[in-house]
Amino acid sequence: MKEISGNLSAAGRKFGIAVSRFNSFFTEQLLQGAEDCLLRHGASPDDIVFVRVPGAAELPLAVQKLARSGRFDAVMALGCVIQGSTPHADLIEQQVSRAITQISLDTGVPVTGGLVAANNIEQAVERAGTKMGNKGWDAAMAAIEMVSVLASLEG
Ligand code: INI
């Protein structure tokens, strides 16, 4: 059996990040987590670009622009949807997750989701840098690995 797998080096890779302002108390933590992960795995600060959008619902369009630009090896979508903020929180979450998956398939650029989906503030806290980790870090980790996996597959 021959295995194809990626490594976890981000050196020389370029990353785009779309981050929502809504629930910025949490999304800023996600952004910090993603940046920290990319830098610790060898990415250069000059190779990381982020764009802010109003809310999670606006993430797909920004992600699409980033992915289509040809400037990035991978793109991350960072947002935080908390049930109870609005009756359509559920819908936003589903639509965003589906859209970013579709954008990734359409463009061939890995798009990873750092979308905190929480029932309440406490759960959001847990996913934005406390006991359940940091979804931004997780999205960056997945992005780094996917870039490397794709390079191995193509090579
Ligand atoms: N946007 C979020 O990022 N998180 C939420 O929890 C949220 N809720 O619950 O309303 C939210 N709403 C705003 C939405 O993403 C759009 O920005 C807005 O509808 C304008 O299109």
Side-chain angles (χ1 to χ4, degrees):
M1 265 199 316
K2 190 171 176 201
E3 177 180 334
I4 296 177
S5 57
N7 62 43
L8 298 180
S9 169
R13 309 295 196 192
K14 296 185 188 327
F15 300 92
I17 302 174
V19 57
S20 65
R21 293 181 194 277
F22 202 103
N23 288 327
S24 64
F25 184 85
F26 301 107
T27 60
E28 289 304 312
Q29 297 306 311
L30 302 180
L31 181 59
Q32 218 169 68
E35 182 191 25
D36 192 30
C37 180
L38 295 172
L39 295 177
R40 281 170 179 248
H41 288 85
S44 156
D46 290 339
D47 289 335
I48 307 170
V49 173
F50 72 94
V51 55
R52 292 187 198 279
V53 299
E58 285 72 39
L59 285 170
L61 187 56
V63 162
Q64 187 184 58
K65 284 273 180 200
L66 292 168
R68 280 185 181 168
S69 72
R71 292 172 54 197
F72 305 104
D73 295 301
V75 174
M76 284 142 273
L78 309 181
C80 175
V81 178
I82 302 178
Q83 302 299 327
S85 309
T86 164
H88 64 282
D90 239 349
L91 193 64
I92 294 174
E93 185 195 320
Q94 284 171 24
Q95 285 179 338
V96 173
S97 299
R98 197 166 302 158
I100 63 175
T101 302
Q102 195 58 50
I103 293 162
S104 187
L105 294 173
D106 289 347
T107 59
V109 175
V111 179
T112 60
L115 199 64
V116 165
N119 290 322
N120 50 50
I121 298 283
E122 191 183 343
Q123 279 187 1
V125 169
E126 287 172 4
R127 292 160 173 71
T130 60
K131 67 181 181 185
M132 301 283 283
N134 182 311
K135 284 273 180 197
W137 173 288
D138 295 346
M141 202 72 252
I144 294 167
E145 186 170 353
M146 279 308 293
V147 172
S148 176
V149 168
L150 290 189
S152 301
L153 278 173
E154 284 156 13

